Structures are given as C-alpha cells and as structure tokens.
Amino acid sequence: MEWMKERDKMTQEELKNRADVPEALTWDLTGLYPTKGAFETAVADIQSAVKQFCTAYEGNLTDTQTIQTALKEYSEITQNADWINHYAFLPTSTDLTNPENTQRSRSIENVLAEVSAQLSFFDSELKATDTVVLDQVETEEPQFASFIRHIKEDKKIQLDPKVEKAFAQLSPVLNAPEAIYEQARLADMDFGTFSVDGKEYPLSFVLYEEHYMYHADTAIRRAAFDKFSAVLSNYQNVVAAAYYTQVQKEKTIATMRGFDSVIDYLLYDQEVDRSLYNRQIDSIMTDLAPVMQKYITHVKEVNRLDKMTYADLKIDLDADYSSEVTIEKSKELVADAVSVLGQEYVDRIMKAYPERWVDFVQNKGKSTGGFCTSPYGKHPYILMSWNNQLSDVYTFIHELGHAGQGIMSNENNAILGAEPSLYLIEAPSTFNELLLTESLKRKSDNPREKRYALSNMISNTYFHNFITHLLEAAYQREVYQLIDEGKSFDAAQLSEIKRSVLNKFWGDAVEINPGAELTWMRQSHYYMGLYSYTYSAGLTIATQAFLRIKELGQPAVDEWLEFLALGDQDRPAEAAKIAGVDITTNKPLSDTIHYLDETVDTIIALTSETTK
C-alpha cells in the first residue's frame, strides 16, 4: 500500500507539520459530521433544543411520566453534545499548534458550558424529587436505573441550584489548569537538539516520550534524557502553579460538598472507598517493588549496562531481537490475539483499520501517549503515534480494548448509563495486552522468543500500568494529603515528593539521576482526579480474568464479554464479580503480584537457556 511506503520513509527522529502527513494515517472525523457545515448546524440545533427543553420541563418535573419523557429528551441532547464536543476537541489533540483548532475547541467549550448551565436545573430538580417517585421511574424505565441511582446518592452532596448552575457556567475556567499545562508542554516547550559523538539529534516532548526513552543506544538515550530534563526544569514553576490551582480547586469543591478529604471526594464518583485505593498503592509499593527490582537488575545485566539509571528504565531486555512491526503487520497480530473472545468481537474492533478510527501518524503539536474515546452512537476514536515497534502494537491493542468495551457498553445501555466507573475503565484495555503476550508466546517454543514475549508483557503492560501510573498515584496521594492538611507546595516540593517515591520503590536497583524528579511534569493524569491508580486496579481485574480464561475456557470468556457490556449497571465490586474477580479482598492483587514474580523468574530462567 502506497501510504505504508510513505510512512516507512519517515525517520524516527523527524516530525512533520500536520498539513504534510499522509491523510490515510489520520483519523476520519466525518464519522461524526460529514462537513464543517453539518457540525455548525448541529451546534445551532442543540442550542435551540436546550431552550425548548428548559421551557417544557423547568419547574414541571413533578410526576413519573413527565420525568420519563424528559429523560429521553435529555438523553438525545446529551448525545448531540457528546458528538459536538468530540468534533471540537479531537483536532486539538493532533495539533495544538493550529490556532483554528484551539479557537474551535475553546468556542465549543463555552457553548457547552452554557448548555450545561441551562440544563443544570434538571439534576437539581431530580435530586429534590421524592425518592419514592425516583424509585418508580427506575422500575418503569430500567434503562435509566444507573442514572437514577446516582441522582439518589447525590442528594446528600447537592448544593443550591444556583451554585450548581454557576459551576456549569464556570467549567471552561475550572478546566483551565489542564489547558495551561497542555499548552506549556506541547506548544511552548522548545527542546532544541542534543549532541552525541558530534552528531545533532532533534528533540521534542513527543520524540522523547515516544522514541528516545526506549532508544537502544545508551549514550543517545541518556543524553536525550538530560536535555529533556533541562528544558522541563525551565518550566517547572508555571506547571507547578497550574497543578496547585487544580488541586486547590478540587479541595474547595470537596469542602463545599461536605467532604473532609479531597481524596474521598475524588473517589466518590468511582463508587469505591478509600481502602481499595490505599490497598492498591500500598501493596504495590511494598510487595511488587522487590519483584521489579529483581527484573530491572536482570535487564541491566543482560544489556551489560554500567548501572541502571532512571533514564534506562524503558529499554528492552533483548533489543537485538526486536523487529519492525508495520501498521499492516499489526492487523495479523491484533486479530490473532483477540480471537479467543470470538469472531464477533474481532470483527467489531478490526473495523478500526478500514474506517480510520485511528490517528497513527506523528507530527508537531500532537499529544503524547494514547487514548481512546467512544462517542455514543458513533465509532470510537484512537490517538497514538506509530513507531514501527512492538510496543506500538501493545499501545494499539490497549486502546482497542477501550474501544471494544465502549462499543459493547453503548450497544447495551442508554447514554446516561453507558460509562462504567473509572475504577473499571482500564481492565478491558490491559486485558487485551495480556492476550497479545499470550498470542506471541504460543507461536514458538524457542526460549528467546518466549522470553521476548514475556519481557514485553512486563515492559509494556505491567511496567506502564502497574508501575509508571502507580508511582504517579503514590506521588499524587502525598500531594492531596498536603492539601487536606491545609498546606501548599511549589515546584521544588513536588520534585522532592516524586524523588522520594521513586527512591522508595526502586531502592538500590536504580540510580534516580537528576531530572527523574521532574517526572511529575510529564503526565496529564494529575488533572483528571484519582485516575492514575485505576490503571493498576484495572490490570488486577484483567490479570485475574485472563488467568480464569486460560483455566476455564469459554465460560470465563462469556463472563468477560458480559462484563464488557455492563456499562454503569453495577458498582465496581459487583461488576468485577461478574468477571469472576472479588476486588473486596486482597486476593486478586496478591495473586497478580505473585503471577508477576513467577513471570520474572521464568524470564531469568529463559535467559539461562538462551545463553547456554
């Protein structure tokens, strides 16, 4: 295919402007609106629909029939707002340097803030409605059961309707800290170049996070880290100020809603208590740390490094064995990996290629990392940057896990009950990564190939989700505890907290070299509440469900597919039980850490076999 040839000509160390990249490697937003004109018409239509809704229902939500009719109309408005929001924000994630993208996104953010403000009466009036009436609505319209569940629970934290409306109107301002952070890291930071052995290498935020961090050449990898960290340090005070504004905002709202702790407030919407949150962080920091220290020491020995520094953590165990994986090749790997879930599931997610759900290409101004978003009633959209590495397949199949759940949840739930708890969000994505490793492993009896598959599972699946994000969560907990105690912080204190967390986890196995402490500047998760810890929570569920499928076969597959379709029907503990996992106990996490320990031992044994 011609576009594949174009992609292969792009070197790992250059970035093009968005206008110069192959269109076939970008996502197709006409799946949302065929033209910009259709989008603009939709914006006008929703403003008109909201006015009509307010006229019809404000002050009139007094009986079950009226509430049921209103819920159906509210659902339609919510769906249209969802599509409009996606059409406006998705382009900014692919090119934040484009002023047209930024202007459209900000304009629609203001439009939707006003829409939300006008509709705020709906939640307020429902929360003031007698519970008996709400129970009747829930019984007669089970599609809205989860929505009504939250309405009833939120009665105790509801503020005056005028305050709730003000919050909605202020949402663009309240969301400003993350926007400021994204502008700083993706639009303002200029990383220039760095030099190794007389050769200059271009550097950017995306290039470091997606390429140099994994570079097989130690001199290049460490030099890139040093330059990357030096530039980050120039922006540490403004980023710290943005982050302080974020957490102080969350603390203020938590207090207004009656929470003593901002942590309890942020866990409230996830429908889990603090014991599950603390267990996830404490157990991994204590019990997984020795396992990962053992693994990373083995990586150092195999690669014959003088020492293992923080800049070296993401290198392959066996870089010489890795091979290029093109986007075309990934089709075969993905389809084979998820085949255990049945042809219907395979067919659903493989549409991502021909229908252009995915933005694969690298370009200036594009966000780092990856995400999947599933607008209700439309196909999902996935952002990532393809580097022709196996790690890209892991990222892609991870996001396809989100996509699969999004599709199945949307098909089986009304829009007001389609989104699962944040605690569960990362289970389907990390589960698919485990399927990929299993697929790679079963294709060969060669010890080196098996080691390659298992080490990629450690470095891609568990390192990223169980360690990188968990260490974010451990750091984040310390920050929120400061705020709960009425204290503040600056950039230096954030760096001190981050360094302390890294030292505690890695011990003597890793040198936490200068620049590592600035890792708090590299992740937007800190602007999303208590999100970071849910990666390890989701992977705990995923690991146990994966092992059950290996043991039980089709019955466990059927339970997993049922879990994917649940949406918000159940709270996390009940939902996980449908997948056969009891998260109310220590056992799933303990068993998962034990599984990782056994895997690391297997990798070390396979190394011995390959070197005989």
Side-chain angles (χ1 to χ4, degrees), residues 55-86:
T55 300
Y57 297 109
E58 192 164 10
N60 298 322
L61 298 172
T62 55
D63 60 88
T64 57
Q65 186 58 53
T66 302
I67 292 173
Q68 289 169 17
T69 304
L71 279 167
K72 292 170 185 174
E73 293 184 25
Y74 183 78
S75 296
E76 187 174 345
I77 291 172
T78 301
Q79 176 177 279
N80 290 331
D82 189 33
W83 295 352
I84 288 167
N85 180 52
H86 276 86

Side-chain angles (χ1 to χ4, degrees), residues 590-608:
S590 176
D591 287 352
T592 299
I593 292 173
H594 178 67
Y595 171 68
L596 280 172
D597 196 16
E598 289 183 328
T599 301
V600 171
D601 287 342
T602 301
I603 289 171
I604 294 171
L606 289 169
T607 295
S608 296

